[in-house]
Amino acid sequence: MKILVADDSRVMRQIVVRTLRQAGFGDHDLIEAVDGQQALEIATKEQPDLIISDWNMPNMTGIDLLRRLRGAGNKVKFGFVTSESTAEMKTAAEDAGADFFIIKPFTAERFDEVFAPILG
């Protein structure tokens, strides 16, 4: 399976990838994107099975990425790993079709809890 990690912070992408490995998902094909625009291009070309996105990114935000994908009929499993968490953000994510919303800081146990049902 392919997992796309979209975050404008290289360090945060590395942390997400490391945590995925710690949670037992390191055998999947892990792809990285530096912003929402690049994530959209990669998602269209690579057809990942899961997208883990930051909310705030340059060029295209995570919520705009999700809306563009869903608007194009893409049903990829998609969710957010973000440091911000307001009721409005969670509602917007759910309304746009997000499958999960993980708040930083996170643990391998939290990743396992969220991703085991998605990735098997």
Side-chain angles (χ1 to χ4, degrees):
M1 297 183 91
K2 291 181 186 177
I3 302 172
L4 174 58
V5 178
D7 198 304
D8 56 314
S9 166
R10 181 182 59 82
V11 171
M12 187 50 61
R13 289 192 311 272
Q14 290 174 337
I15 292 169
V16 169
V17 167
R18 183 180 67 228
T19 307
L20 282 166
R21 288 185 177 126
Q22 290 171 343
F25 304 113
D27 57 339
H28 297 290
D29 187 12
L30 303 173
I31 308 164
E32 297 181 25
V34 299
D35 60 30
Q37 183 62 47
Q38 186 182 43
L40 179 62
E41 293 165 9
I42 291 171
T44 302
K45 179 181 172 187
E46 298 287 334
Q47 296 294 308
D49 301 290
L50 171 65
I51 297 175
I52 302 169
S53 179
D54 188 19
W55 188 278
N56 290 310
M57 296 180 288
N59 301 317
M60 183 185 297
T61 65
I63 190 69
D64 289 338
L65 168 62
L66 175 58
R67 289 176 178 146
R68 292 276 300 270
L69 288 168
R70 294 297 188 250
N74 191 322
K75 302 292 185 198
V76 63
K77 295 291 184 184
F78 187 109
F80 295 96
V81 173
T82 183
S83 56
E84 297 181 59
S85 173
T86 66
E88 293 81 16
M89 288 172 74
K90 287 182 179 179
T91 299
E94 289 172 7
D95 290 349
D99 296 288
F100 57 89
F101 199 95
I102 299 173
I103 300 162
K104 299 172 189 173
F106 46 79
T107 63
E109 291 78 19
R110 176 72 176 130
F111 271 29
D112 183 54
E113 174 185 307
V114 171
F115 299 131
I118 295 171
L119 299 172

